[in-house]
Amino acid sequence: MVSADYIKEVISAGLPCEYIQVNGDDGTHFDAVIISPAFSGRNRVQRHQLVYQALGDRMRAEIHALSMKTLSPEEWAQQQG
């Protein structure tokens, strides 16, 4: 069974992240907030593609659903006030 911490480690290893939080307790459905400079200048689809690339085959084999909020550091700073 996949854990939220495992997903966090895999994403962090494949994508530079300033902040990442992954939640989920059933082993197949997860929610993530990911802040990465790699997201700057990219649309939502491109950002999600970067995360899927970091996860590789795990997205098809181990993770059933991953809901993501992907922001650049600038967007995150604006949201934090």
Side-chain angles (χ1 to χ4, degrees), residues 29-66:
H29 296 81
F30 300 92
D31 296 309
V33 176
I34 306 164
I35 313 306
S36 174
F39 297 152
S40 296
R42 298 181 189 263
N43 65 38
R44 185 170 54 109
V45 171
Q46 292 169 326
R47 294 172 183 200
H48 288 201
Q49 287 172 336
L50 288 173
V51 176
Y52 294 143
Q53 183 178 2
L55 289 167
D57 290 337
R58 292 172 192 91
M59 196 60 214
R60 289 189 295 269
E62 301 174 48
I63 303 165
H64 178 70
L66 176 63

Side-chain angles (χ1 to χ4, degrees), residues 2-78:
V2 177
S3 71
D5 287 338
Y6 173 73
I7 293 173
K8 180 178 176 179
E9 289 174 22
V10 172
I11 293 171
S12 295
L15 186 68
C17 298
E18 290 191 7
Y19 175 83
I20 182 168
Q21 178 181 348
V22 179
N23 297 310
D25 58 5
D26 70 356
T28 58
H29 296 81
F30 300 92
D31 296 309
V33 176
I34 306 164
I35 313 306
S36 174
F39 297 152
S40 296
R42 298 181 189 263
N43 65 38
R44 185 170 54 109
V45 171
Q46 292 169 326
R47 294 172 183 200
H48 288 201
Q49 287 172 336
L50 288 173
V51 176
Y52 294 143
Q53 183 178 2
L55 289 167
D57 290 337
R58 292 172 192 91
M59 196 60 214
R60 289 189 295 269
E62 301 174 48
I63 303 165
H64 178 70
L66 176 63
S67 174
M68 291 180 271
K69 182 174 185 178
T70 53
L71 300 167
S72 69
E74 299 81 17
E75 293 166 333
W76 179 248
Q78 288 176 354

